[in-house]
Amino acid sequence: MDLAVKEGTITTLVGSNGAGKSSALRAMAGIIKTEPGTVTVHGEDISTLTTRDRIIEYGVVLIPEGRSVFTTMSVAENLHLGARVGNERSKHGHAATFTTEEAYDLFPVLKERQHARAQTLSGGEQQMLAIARSLLMSPRVLLIDEPSMGLAPLLVRKIFGVMKDVFARNSVSVLLVEQDTSIALELASDAYLLEHGSVIAHAPSAEMRNDSRLREAYLGKGDALGRTQGTGNA
Amino acid sequence: MLTPYAADIFVVAFTYALVTLGLYLTLLSGQFSVAHASLMGIGGYMGGWATTQWGLPFPVAIVLGGFAGAVGGLFIAFILQRTSGILLGTVTIAIGQSFSLMAQNWQTIGGSQGLGGIPLYSTLPYATFLLVLGLAAVLYVQRTNFGWQVQAAGRDETVAKSLGISIMSVRYYGFGFGGFLAGLGGVLLAHHNGVIDPNNLSFASEPLFFIFLVLGGYSSAWGAVAGAVGITWLMELLRFGGGKFLFLDQQDRPWLLGLVLVIVLIISPDGAIRRKSKKTQLAGAEA
Amino acid sequence: MVVELLSYLFAGLSLGSTYVLVALGFTLIFGVMGIMNVAHADVFMIAIFTYLLITTGFDLPTGLGVVIAIFAGALAGLIVYWLVLKRIDKGHPVALFVSTLGVSYVVENFIAKRINFGRPSLEPIFGSDPIIVGGVVFTGPRLLLFAVTAILAGGLIFWLKKSETGMLLRAVSENAVMARVVAIDTNRVTMIAIAVASFVAACGGLVVGNMTLTADAFVANSLSLKMFAVAVVAGIGSVGGATIVGLTLGVIEAFTVAYVGSQWQNVIGLVAMTVVLLVRPQGLFGRVLRVG
């Protein structure tokens, strides 16, 4: 699998279940080991580094799929975990790009509920929390795994709309894994289609939308956007 | 033929082998139990009681002891029906210890002195017969359909469940049969030593069975037996002729053995006990 | 009558304090590492033996003995981690668990065989005349036990809630993988947890040994039963819960011995554990068992 993310852009990985999208992200973050293969950031090979080093020195930050907040801890504590990393990164010479205040401005509901346990937040709020925390870590490369899972598409679009500015302002490069192809192709400028662990297509989103291989990959009865009857997801 | 001394060692070795087989079986079925020493003790108490208090013939006592062990095992399985994994193991330790402490305080069965005056019925023929029977039973069942189910459940409960295998019945089997074997061993032990006391129930000797199993190669029933017999003999030979070897003497054997166990586990931790590794789990749960 | 009840109550609290002191560390380690460290109870014993070795064997002053013993206990926990636990990959939980059994076996038998210090002169600290309040006897060692338990339990709970490191520990406890995702050095956090847990157990060992004036290399075997029971009933990882449950268990046991019979004392813990496992496996105060 050969992927490249252009700096400051959002790239997406699409493909049906089992195509290996999540694994790719986790391998990049260092959570699982890659067999032959390397991960490089700005040309530097980080394959042998631990997850922690990848975060601190290269700003490679993962937002895992599903429940990605610490439910037994408060909103403020969760954010603090992110801010700690941002602080540590700035001590290593990577200036903090995002502050807790900005996080609260971006997602006001987090400020309201700051002392509440993350468990009491709704799915969408938890996702906002995860994203805010990740932004506090001063990421250079943000790996987002299935943000739409369990959330209404409208909410996902809204959250991302808000975030796109932040990404642009702080030159964060984003690699997005998404099951819902229509959202993915809307948000990203560039797309890779995965199947069975390999890249079978690479194109700008607009072109990918019409690529027949996309439809085939999903084995669905839907159109190229992967939509099957009635549902918004592939 | 064998000297009485050698025969005696073999009796002890076969006794341990039975208990180790019980451990092997229970582990094979995926249940991590560390209470076999106690189930052995329960069998021993039952068997000893049968011969001393009820005057029953040895064979009957043997069967009773085995069943006592089985009942103990089933009881544990019942209690732990909503638990699994390491938590289960820890709780079995606690249960085992409880049995031991209860025995210590229960005056009717001898309290901390234990049950004494047990006739020395455990001869080599009995021990050999029981071991062969036990081994044959385990090997046979492993090949049957149910045996296959048990092993499948042992490797991965989730997968087994999806194949329609009843986890509870596998558990009852593993604990029950495993307990039975341990109980048999207990009866033999009681009638070899002439006495059985709460120490025999205690957790302190449990690691010994693990040592047998791990060092004997825990992927097969033969391994369990070989380990028990082999190491019992090794311990015997390591009496250092009653003297010393460097600064070590025969009372150092327990901790030396334990050390070997730990080292072996560090060097090669996997085996038939549980093959599930985190990596396969992560890979398996992938999108 | 009231005096009698109070006596049993405080006897129970003494007993319970012992359980708390050993269960705190155990549940902490399980929370952070996800493993049941059977050998933890042995730290308790190691502290007592070290103290006796230093004071009786080497004839050094009490204060020094206490300090060295606590240090030795904490160090013992860390050494076990470095030499054994860390080297067995987490993908083999059974091997990890059996290794703790092995370590416990080795330590107990080694000490039983090899540590001799002549005739121990077991003089308790603060062992002078007991204070009698309302008919209930309070000896110095017992008061010390209460004080130490309160300080350690309270301190631990406070530290976990309020300090930065405590927060990191809670994060790793909840989800070790996600902790790595937020750049937490799980290895360092684990070592801190083990050091703290062993420190608490070592203090516990000293303060209890001071009261019972016995040194038994195999004490962990009976103590660990209570350790598991308390941790399981409270819910693995719940430090506050372990405190409450531990004390309660002690009190219940004391009353049982007094009014029902001593042979039932050790059954209670087991029964409580059984009931909890059947009805609410995550424990009274526990959340769902940790993920990752």
Side-chain angles (χ1 to χ4, degrees):
Chain A
M1 178 182 322
D2 222 328
L3 297 172
V5 182
K6 293 196 201 83
E7 183 163 2
T9 67
I10 301 182
T11 305
T12 180
L13 288 184
V14 292
S16 58
N17 255 326
K21 315 189 295 289
S22 279
S23 310
L25 283 195
R26 286 154 109 176
M28 286 181 218
I31 306 250
I32 60 181
K33 305 225 187 310
T34 48
E35 284 312 281
T38 58
V39 182
T40 61
V41 172
H42 278 241
E44 289 180 58
D45 189 348
I46 63 170
S47 313
T48 55
L49 294 184
T50 62
T51 306
R52 190 176 135 78
D53 287 333
R54 295 186 200 196
I55 297 173
I56 302 292
E57 287 169 35
Y58 291 91
V60 176
V61 173
L62 171 71
I63 305 184
E65 69 171 313
R67 182 169 290 183
S68 51
V69 296
F70 291 101
T71 54
T72 61
M73 296 165 72
S74 71
V75 167
E77 283 178 323
N78 268 279
L79 289 176
H80 183 68
L81 284 177
R84 282 185 73 238
V85 178
N87 288 338
E88 206 178 328
R89 291 231 326 127
S90 61
K91 285 189 203 133
H92 280 250
H94 307 287
T97 54
F98 201 65
T99 64
T100 314
E101 280 68 46
E102 286 179 79
Y104 284 138
D105 286 336
L106 199 59
F107 301 116
V109 69
L110 292 182
K111 178 154 193 173
E112 279 166 40
R113 312 283 307 277
Q114 60 178 282
H115 298 298
R117 287 206 342 177
Q119 197 168 37
T120 62
L121 263 50
S122 72
E125 289 163 352
Q126 284 189 10
Q127 195 64 287
M128 288 185 224
L129 180 57
I131 292 172
R133 181 196 69 215
S134 308
L135 289 173
L136 284 170
M137 290 163 69
S138 304
R140 265 166 86 190
V141 179
L142 199 54
L143 308 168
I144 312 186
D145 199 347
E146 311 243 8
S148 75
M149 181 112 88
L151 299 183
L154 203 59
L155 187 56
V156 180
R157 287 186 172 89
K158 184 172 157 229
I159 294 177
F160 264 84
V162 160
M163 277 163 43
K164 265 180 144 176
D165 287 331
V166 178
F167 293 155
R169 249 191 297 130
N170 297 307
S171 350
V172 179
S173 315
V174 177
L175 184 55
L176 175 69
V177 158
E178 209 9 280
Q179 186 73 333
D180 181 340
T181 341
S182 60
I183 289 190
L185 294 174
E186 257 179 61
L187 299 173
S189 55
D190 216 26
Y192 283 87
L193 175 60
L194 254 61
E195 187 171 283
H196 299 313
S198 316
V199 176
I200 60 172
H202 172 204
S205 304
E207 286 172 37
M208 184 63 88
R209 229 171 271 217
N210 300 316
D211 195 321
S212 61
R213 283 175 296 179
L214 184 63
R215 178 180 19 184
E216 283 157 23
Y218 277 85
L219 299 170
K221 298 191 185 122
D223 55 286
L225 289 171
R227 283 188 292 220
T228 48
Q229 280 141 344
T231 62
N233 303 316
Chain B
M1 273 309 286
L2 290 173
T3 63
Y5 166 73
D8 190 66
I9 306 293
F10 270 115
V11 170
V12 175
F14 289 169
T15 303
Y16 287 157
L18 271 170
V19 182
T20 313
L21 259 183
L23 181 64
Y24 164 75
L25 194 68
T26 310
L27 288 178
L28 186 71
S29 71
Q31 308 319 309
F32 189 67
S33 162
V34 195
H36 283 87
S38 302
L39 295 177
M40 175 184 89
I42 289 177
Y45 265 100
M46 179 51 118
W49 190 262
T51 47
T52 56
Q53 302 300 320
W54 295 333
L56 293 171
F58 194 41
V60 178
I62 290 178
V63 172
L64 282 177
F67 272 113
V71 166
L74 290 173
F75 174 68
I76 295 179
F78 170 73
I79 294 178
L80 296 176
Q81 56 187 288
R82 283 182 71 178
T83 326
S84 65
I86 302 304
L87 186 55
L88 191 146
T90 317
V91 177
T92 59
I93 298 182
I95 293 175
Q97 277 307 91
S98 287
F99 287 158
S100 171
L101 288 168
M102 256 195 330
Q104 237 167 25
N105 286 313
W106 198 354
Q107 292 313 318
T108 327
I109 58 173
S112 48
Q113 307 280 47
L115 199 61
I118 302 178
L120 303 176
Y121 288 150
S122 295
T123 55
L124 193 55
Y126 270 113
T128 318
F129 176 70
L130 285 176
L131 179 62
V132 168
L133 205 62
L135 185 58
V138 173
L139 288 172
Y140 171 73
V141 172
Q142 271 185 260
R143 284 166 226 274
T144 63
N145 190 35
F146 184 61
W148 169 84
Q149 288 187 359
V150 166
Q151 288 171 87
R155 273 196 211 106
D156 193 330
E157 269 186 11
T158 336
V159 171
K161 250 187 260 190
S162 68
L163 292 173
I165 297 175
S166 157
I167 299 295
M168 270 327 287
S169 55
V170 164
R171 282 194 178 192
Y172 282 128
Y173 171 76
F175 271 105
F177 194 0
F180 184 79
L181 291 171
L184 289 181
V187 179
L188 278 178
L189 190 72
H191 293 83
H192 170 266
N193 295 343
V195 65
I196 186 138
D197 64 53
N199 277 329
N200 294 118
L201 280 176
S202 102
F203 177 66
S205 35
E206 184 74 28
L208 199 62
F209 297 111
F210 270 96
I211 291 170
F212 294 153
L213 195 59
V214 170
L215 295 181
Y218 42 102
S219 43
S220 76
W222 287 106
V225 173
V229 175
I231 296 187
T232 306
W233 266 107
L234 189 64
M235 294 237 282
E236 215 22 65
L237 296 172
L238 283 181
R239 278 192 187 274
F240 303 124
K244 284 182 182 286
F245 172 71
L246 298 180
F247 58 91
L248 302 169
D249 67 42
Q250 60 176 345
Q251 280 160 331
D252 284 305
R253 289 174 300 166
W255 67 262
L256 281 171
L257 269 184
L259 197 59
V260 173
L261 172 67
V262 173
I263 292 176
V264 167
L265 283 171
I266 294 177
I267 297 177
S268 117
D270 68 52
I273 295 184
R274 266 284 178 123
R275 284 191 184 281
K276 255 200 298 196
S277 86
K278 201 114 198 241
K279 295 194 189 99
T280 39
Q281 275 182 332
L282 279 173
E286 235 23 302
Chain C
M1 180 60 195
V2 174
V3 173
E4 211 178 75
L5 285 178
L6 284 178
S7 294
Y8 294 141
L9 178 67
F10 282 101
L13 288 175
S14 291
L15 203 54
S17 299
T18 313
Y19 300 157
V20 169
L21 288 171
V22 88
L24 281 177
F26 178 75
T27 204
L28 196 66
I29 293 180
F30 184 79
V32 169
M33 280 196 82
I35 69 172
M36 300 245 176
N37 185 4
V38 176
H40 180 70
D42 289 299
V43 171
F44 202 82
M45 179 268 288
I46 288 175
I48 299 178
F49 272 81
T50 310
Y51 172 78
L52 286 174
L53 196 63
I54 301 288
T55 52
T56 312
F58 294 126
D59 212 20
L60 292 173
T62 313
L64 194 62
V66 168
V67 169
I68 295 182
I70 294 180
F71 186 69
L75 197 62
L78 282 172
I79 290 179
V80 169
Y81 174 68
W82 279 323
L83 287 184
V84 181
L85 301 180
K86 201 169 154 189
R87 289 167 200 264
I88 300 179
D89 180 34
K90 271 187 137 176
H92 300 109
V94 171
L96 265 175
F97 183 62
V98 177
S99 72
T100 66
L101 295 182
V103 166
S104 178
Y105 192 70
V106 171
V107 166
E108 288 172 4
N109 283 290
F110 180 79
I111 288 184
K113 164 67 186 153
R114 292 267 146 204
I115 308 289
N116 305 296
F117 27 68
R119 247 175 330 123
S121 66
L122 297 167
E123 263 179 43
I125 308 176
F126 301 130
S128 48
D129 304 313
I131 310 169
I132 306 193
V133 175
V136 183
V137 178
F138 288 100
T139 57
R142 177 185 267 190
L143 288 174
L144 185 63
L145 173 64
F146 288 156
V148 168
T149 306
I151 294 173
L152 287 178
L156 191 62
I157 294 171
F158 183 80
W159 179 72
L160 281 176
K161 265 217 166 62
K162 300 284 181 181
S163 76
E164 175 104 355
T165 318
M167 185 178 70
L168 297 184
L169 240 121
R170 280 185 287 134
V172 176
S173 257
E174 180 176 336
N175 188 332
V177 172
M178 203 153 60
R180 297 215 324 264
V181 165
V182 295
I184 293 179
D185 187 344
T186 49
N187 190 42
R188 192 179 77 103
V189 167
T190 304
M191 289 206 302
I192 292 175
I194 292 186
V196 169
S198 304
F199 170 79
V200 171
C203 291
L206 287 178
V207 109
V208 169
N210 189 41
M211 227 180 59
T212 62
L213 298 179
T214 55
D216 170 18
F218 296 98
V219 70
N221 285 327
S222 37
L223 202 56
S224 53
L225 161 62
K226 308 305 167 67
M227 180 174 80
F228 302 144
V230 170
V232 168
V233 170
I236 303 287
S238 166
V239 170
T243 312
I244 297 175
V245 171
L247 291 174
T248 310
L249 180 65
V251 171
I252 295 180
E253 281 190 6
F255 277 103
T256 304
V257 170
Y259 293 117
V260 182
S262 64
Q263 63 265 41
W264 299 108
Q265 177 187 2
N266 299 295
V267 175
I268 299 165
L270 181 63
V271 168
M273 199 165 50
T274 309
V275 169
V276 165
L277 284 172
L278 285 175
V279 169
R280 195 185 145 97
Q282 70 267 34
L284 294 177
F285 302 95
R287 346 146 203 125
V288 177
L289 284 179
R290 64 192 294 278
V291 176

